[in-house]
Amino acid sequence: MFREGPATTASPGKASLDTRYGLLGALLIAPTVLVFCAVIVYPLISAIYLGLFSIYTPTMEGEWVGMDNYRRLLASGEFWRSLLNNVIWTVGTLALQVIFGILVALMLHRNLVFRAFARSLVLFPYFLSTVVAVLVWRWLFNDLYGVLNHLLMWAGIVDMPVDWLGTMPNAMVSLILVGAWKYFPFVVIAVLARLQSIPDELYEAASIDGAGAWGRFVDVTLPQLRDVLIVVVLLRTIWDFKEFDLIYLLTGGGPIIGTQTLPLMVYKEAFALNQMGGASAVAVLMMLIMLLFMILYLSRARD
Amino acid sequence: MNGLQNKGGMTRRRALQGALALSAGAAGLYPATGRPNTTLRWWSTQSSPEQLAAYRYQIAAFEAQHPGVQVLFEKTSDEGYPAQLAAAFAGGNVPNLVTHLPSFAVADYWNAGLLSPFDAVIDAVGAGRFFDGTNRVYELEPGVHAAAGIGNTAANMLWLRTDLMEKAGIERPPATWDELRAACARMQGRGVYGAQFPYAKNSATSLVIICFIHGAGGQVLSPELEVAIESPAAVNALEFYRSMREFCPPGATGYSWGESLGAFVSGAAATGLYAGRVLVNVSNRNPRLKEHITCVTFPTVSADVPAWTFNDYPSVFIPADAPDRELTRQFATWLYEGEGYIRQLHATPGHILPVLKTAAQDERYLDHELVRRYSGEIALMSTEAAAGHNLGWESPAHRINVKAGALINSGVLAEMVQRVVLNEERPRVVLADTARRIEAIMKA
Amino acid sequence: MSAPARKSRRYLFNLFAWTVVLVIAFPLLWMLLTSIKPQSELFLIPPALLPGEITFEHYRRLLTETPFLTYLKNSAWLAGGTTLVVIVIATLGAHSLVRFSYPGRERLATLVLFTYLLPSVVLVIPLYLLMAGLGLANTLTSLIIAYTTFALPYALWLLRSFMKAIPEDLESAALVDGASRMQAFVDVILPQAMPGIISTAMFTAILAWNEYLYALVLVNSDAARPLTTGVINMLVTSFNIEWSLLMAASVMMSVPLIVVFAFLQRYLTRGFSAGAIKG
């Protein structure tokens, strides 16, 4: 860190070059830092600050209440129920995304007629707007004219249309399935990219050792995928945990608060109940939970 | 390698050129040329294609009279306006004029000091032209109106299919809940459901259950605005509402007004709870039902309990922070004038009912196919709506409840319905819990 | 294994794999089919799988009778504008984070990762107030600024890993040849990073094209409304739900993505293997 005197005198040009480079580096990062401060740090600090007030959203006026918002939240069943829902949704949809993602990636890695077209079709749900995905699924789920119910009735699996989104546990199951459908291609992309870079020699060596298809998968493929999966799971956990659009548009958190996750609770507090302070407090708690998760996960993954 | 780099260089240069072109384009994103000096922004929740056509007519005429003024119509929705207006108020970026919001929303905003008094417009239209008492629900301080009615709506009429009634051998419209349930049971079958009530987590469900509580002789709040929902009547209402679930489509747990209306208009439901829009939707989208629909006041638990009609008292108001207030008032006044107002009414005959005596008696208003064809229904809805109430004003004896908007938006009433109907919790327990939550909102 | 047995196994695998692919793609297929059915066929019970009659009426109505094209233009500006702003800032920033040393550099990189955690709902109101204060409420610019909140950390993170993968010697060689740091950046680093930049740009554009929440809260006028909120606001109302038009709109919202996707797919997957999955 500290440069000793003689070294500086020995190469005066290098020192000034270092300083100049440092300045240039700072200059290049400056726009990023500015934008971060303006659109992320400032709103973040105001969220923490607002959490200490009781504020009526339309006027944005209110009074200091200290930790009252937090006390109220932690004592309310609704916060804990939303957290539980959040965990159920995240774990459920993530598990399906990863399992299904790996399987489909393995499938698409093999020789398949029209493979490029098949890949495009599979990856497409990920790039689809959430709004579009939800609309399409709501139309599929429709009670009177939805094709899904009619297929199931035609196949004799059910004899009455199923209420996919309005009752529990159907609503949570539907949500998890639609989430998995929408986001598993992300896992496919990552795994597929990694599969393509596994050297064939590894498989050949395993074959020579007498490993079958399953053995090769367990001994060669899975260990090679480990690093990718660690990052994929981290990213998807964060994104799924804070998912708003999909849940809000598909079930709105209902029935009752059966599928209400923390982001929906923030929105409800802020705009339905017009309590900006409470909303900010939920958001801050949510952030703390995610931070805790990330620290634990990263320290575990490093081992 | 060299070739590759060259190629990369080309790509980069082209990318940079593209970027320059893009940013140059971005600078010219908002051309300053040819823009009028003043823009009035008008929000409404009522914006079916027919209504939009009527608004366009009124806007064009107003703009022709006021050169340099542009009126920008912007849609909002029944489920979406609370968040959108909250954001607009908080950011000081409010529309000039908001129409068709229910009276209880108006009271909420007025109470927070967000609206400007509307009396000047009422006087300009002519206070005497309004039906007596129409604007009573907006007089939130003695002598000061927060808004005015732009129409009346009888939202909970019972719509019936006369052909299906005949087929099922039902001779007269149901007048009590037991008769209604029996009628639904007899008409249900072969792809047709008996009814189409909303059981969802939304404001429509909250508003509908209030009708049933009153239909059982109960109330949500007492005239002095004490919480009064814990009553045998409310238990009765919830139990009846639960018993009707089996006659509604499975997806009714997700229904809002749109889906409920669609179920009746498409013929999937034999009865319907809705306002007058049924008429125009049937005639435009499913004309084969034209001859087979009628409406009556919604049944109550027994003949002893009078009908309670839900009128949301669609309003017009001007936010306090709206710019160009004088011009906005002129435009608000213009909305009530002559041919334009009648076109508004004709866009959805029977749904938005006239609040002006002059318009109701106007030959031009009466001379419309649907107004003539369904004159009996429209007359009934007009009488019912004029005597209608909502959570902001539950009965003539009630004080105006400025917290009604907050109560509806909080979703406590819809959650109450879902707990009883979907979770099969005991109404008494749920009501006690709901009463506590209402109490908290009333005090907040 | 005998040749016919292998052949039939291959055949079976293809059949199975394509069944899976078609099941995954079924919702998209159904969207397309619904959008070209006449409205009268929409409400058949039970629904018909194939349209009895093909109509483009819903597309015509969307394009001529609704503000769909305005929304489309807004969405295009949003995606383009956000991508441009984010890529320029993030490329410079990532270069700085990877190739320069100054105090606080590592902490900054961690902070970037931390901003990933921020739920959009937390930022939306303070951002709205900020925009209103700047006089930007209800403009596309406000949305572009808002979108950088989630796009910039993501882009920065992707680009940083791309740039880490570029060997240091390349830049050193250019410096020895007498190039300045910026010249070396433009002539050596940028071309090398181009696949990564393209891939990042695509992800940014897709994020901006698909965003819903900010658009819902920050913009309330048709003049600046993008497709996501515009389509719902226009077609899901308390008097009707226009399923035919919704499906036609969904198809048209997806077409630009399909086009981009078809042309740039290789960057997308390649970009991923190079960058996104390394910490």
Side-chain angles (χ1 to χ4, degrees), chain A residues 138 140-146 148-150 153 158-168 170-171 255, chain B residues 188 191-201 244-256 259-260 263 268-269 418 421-422, chain C residues 45:
Chain A
R138 282 180 61 166
L140 289 168
F141 283 146
N142 189 289
D143 58 333
L144 301 174
Y145 316 107
L148 211 57
N149 278 324
H150 285 281
M153 288 197 292
V158 297
D159 36 73
M160 275 290 287
V162 176
D163 182 9
W164 292 96
L165 298 170
T167 50
M168 291 299 282
N170 298 12
Chain B
Q188 174 142 324
V192 176
Y193 290 87
Q196 39 70 291
F197 303 151
Y199 291 88
K201 181 192 168 83
M244 289 299 289
R245 174 71 184 92
E246 61 174 310
F247 303 117
C248 298
T253 49
Y255 277 15
S256 180
E259 292 89 347
S260 292
Q418 291 204 315
V421 178
L422 305 181
Chain C
I45 296 179

Side-chain angles (χ1 to χ4, degrees), chain C residues 17-55:
Chain C
W18 267 99
T19 312
V20 173
V21 170
L22 288 179
V23 168
I24 293 167
F26 179 75
L28 306 174
L29 188 71
W30 192 243
M31 161 174 103
L32 194 66
L33 287 176
T34 306
S35 74
I36 53 172
K37 275 182 190 172
Q39 209 147 26
S40 54
E41 281 184 41
L42 211 57
F43 301 113
L44 287 183
I45 296 179
L49 275 183
L50 291 174
E53 179 192 335
I54 291 176
T55 173

Side-chain angles (χ1 to χ4, degrees), chain B residues 212-230:
Chain B
F212 282 88
I213 291 172
H214 280 273
Q219 54 191 354
V220 179
L221 299 156
S222 71
E224 288 73 39
L225 304 185
E226 300 288 329
V227 181
I229 198 172
E230 270 188 277

Side-chain angles (χ1 to χ4, degrees), chain B residues 41-60:
Chain B
R41 294 170 63 212
W42 169 20
W43 285 16
S44 171
T45 51
Q46 292 282 322
S47 52
S48 70
E50 298 88 3
Q51 287 171 309
L52 287 178
Y55 302 157
R56 267 198 295 274
Y57 170 83
Q58 289 184 299
I59 288 173

Side-chain angles (χ1 to χ4, degrees), chain C residues 238-260:
Chain C
S238 53
F239 27 85
N240 199 16
I241 293 167
E242 297 268 11
W243 283 112
S244 313
L245 293 190
L246 279 174
M247 292 300 114
S250 298
V251 172
M252 284 201 279
M253 280 171 79
S254 312
V255 166
L257 294 182
I258 298 175
V259 173
V260 171

Side-chain angles (χ1 to χ4, degrees), chain B residues 194-211:
Chain B
Q196 39 70 291
F197 303 151
Y199 291 88
K201 181 192 168 83
N202 57 24
S203 64
T205 305
S206 296
L207 295 169
V208 167
I209 195 65
I210 295 170
C211 302

Side-chain angles (χ1 to χ4, degrees), chain C residues 111-123:
Chain C
L111 186 75
V112 172
L113 205 64
F114 174 73
T115 55
Y116 254 162
L117 298 180
L118 289 177
S120 306
V121 271
V122 180
L123 303 181

